[in-house]
Amino acid sequence: CDVAGLLKGDRILRINRKKLSEMTLQEINEMLKENDGTKLLFTIDRKSVEKKLTLILTDPIPYVDED
């Protein structure tokens, strides 16, 4: 996440201006599985300050199996 600009303690408020509280987990999951190069606008709360981050999805998404 820190590579994408998100830090520990950040709270995601919106993706593409849509409130997370109004989205289902399935909708969020589908947005994150968009095509390579898709831009997503995240609005986050970082220490009580709203910040906007534009993330560009890349494939493959890094994954580490901890087992």
Side-chain angles (χ1 to χ4, degrees):
C1 288
D2 56 336
V3 172
L6 295 172
L7 302 176
K8 183 178 178 179
D10 285 352
R11 214 170 52 117
I12 300 171
L13 304 174
R14 294 179 195 87
I15 300 177
N16 290 347
R17 297 185 174 90
K18 187 169 181 183
K19 290 182 181 180
L20 242 61
S21 60
E22 297 173 356
M23 299 173 71
T24 65
L25 187 55
Q26 183 176 353
E27 288 175 305
I28 296 166
N29 202 11
E30 289 301 316
M31 290 180 98
L32 297 175
K33 288 182 179 179
E34 291 288 332
N35 293 329
D36 196 27
T38 298
K39 291 182 183 181
L40 296 176
L41 176 63
F42 280 67
T43 303
I44 63 167
D45 176 340
R46 179 176 291 161
K47 298 181 182 177
S48 300
V49 176
E50 276 195 21
K51 298 180 95 75
K52 292 185 182 347
L53 300 173
T54 300
L55 306 179
I56 300 172
L57 300 179
T58 59
D59 191 31
I61 296 172
Y63 172 76
V64 176
D65 186 356
E66 298 196 16
D67 287 329

